[in-house]
Structures are given as C-alpha cells and as structure tokens.
Amino acid sequence: MARYNKIFLGPVDQNKPQVQERICAAAVLPGTALIESGANFAQAGAAAATKVYIAQDDYLALKDVDTAWPAGDRVVGMEPLDELFFACRVPTGNNIARGGNLTTNAAGKFVPATTGQRVIMIAEETYNNTSGADQLVRARKAQPGMVQA
C-alpha cells in the first residue's frame, strides 16, 4: 500500500504546478521522472540531463498512485517548481536521508545521487525503503545546475 495517495503534496494555498499532457510510449508509474521526447514524453533514464517532469497520478481515470499509466496513453507530467512538494518514486533498497540529493535511475525512479551526478530533487523526509516495493518519498526541486559533490 502506498505511503501517500497523491503525487502533488502542496502547499495547497498556492497554485497547483504547471502540467503538460503528452503521449508516452512506455507505461509509467506516478511519481517517476519523465522527459520530453519530441512532442511526446519518455521515461527518464539514469541521471536525466534535460528538463524533468514528474508523472502525476491518473486522477482523471480514478486510479491510485500505484497504478501505471498505460503505454501509449496521454500522461500528465508536472513540472517541479520551487517550494512545491512532490511524492517521488523510490525503488526498494534505497536509504533516503532528509536533505539528501536525488537523481534518476534507468527506470526514471529517484535514487540517491553519487559524485558527479546531476541532482534533480532534494528529499524532504528520511525513509529507508526496505519494504520490498517502490515507495513515495516527499521531495522538492533542486536548484538548477546542482551536481553531487
């Protein structure tokens, strides 16, 4: 069962994040990273180097955060903006520390950044994912150009 039931976590007194709707050839889970691929979305790869969007939960079809958008479907990608919080999908076996730098793995999921990797998000909570399944961890956007030292 998911620890969160939404991908956009607030704050709720500000406008919701900017979103793009585009076709994505691959099935993607909410909370994973997307990148632009021409007029479409593609699942982000390891240490994504371009603009990153976060796949929103498919609220239009009343799906939960653990239900993937089907391959070839129109996916809602949220643009991470400063001071907004998102639930980022972290694969099992990762120990996330509050304030820790996050990048993407080959499946577009968020993992701790290692030396020299682009930092995409900053963890806003500590969570040791030993659950045996992907989990959602609260995070915010990293400053542009940040690289793990």
Side-chain angles (χ1 to χ4, degrees):
M1 172 133 170
R3 295 177 56 239
Y4 292 100
N5 64 0
K6 290 288 180 196
I7 299 302
F8 176 66
L9 297 178
V12 295
D13 61 340
Q14 295 181 4
N15 293 332
K16 291 190 177 187
Q18 299 297 312
V19 298
Q20 299 280 333
E21 292 184 16
R22 298 182 186 178
I23 301 295
C24 187
V28 292
L29 283 164
T32 57
L34 303 169
I35 58 170
E36 296 173 338
S37 177
N40 298 325
F41 277 138
Q43 187 170 299
T50 62
K51 184 176 185 175
V52 171
Y53 296 84
I54 297 175
Q56 187 169 7
D57 47 300
D58 190 358
Y59 65 92
L60 298 170
L62 302 175
K63 303 295 182 184
D64 64 27
V65 295
D66 289 325
T67 302
W69 292 83
D73 203 358
R74 185 170 298 276
V75 175
V76 177
M78 298 181 293
E79 183 177 344
L81 301 172
D82 294 342
E83 299 179 13
L84 297 181
F85 299 108
F86 298 87
C88 294
R89 191 160 296 273
V90 173
T92 190
N94 284 280
N95 189 10
I96 306 299
R98 179 177 170 83
N101 297 331
L102 303 175
T103 191
T104 51
N105 68 9
K109 297 173 185 173
F110 291 87
V111 295
T114 58
T115 303
Q117 287 185 317
R118 176 183 178 214
V119 178
I120 300 169
M121 302 292 282
I122 306 291
E124 283 293 320
E125 67 177 325
T126 297
Y127 186 73
N128 186 7
N129 188 4
T130 57
S131 67
D134 294 348
Q135 292 296 328
L136 297 170
V137 172
R138 181 180 166 121
R140 63 179 166 78
K141 179 183 175 185
Q143 296 300 316
M146 240 178 118
V147 175
Q148 176 68 27

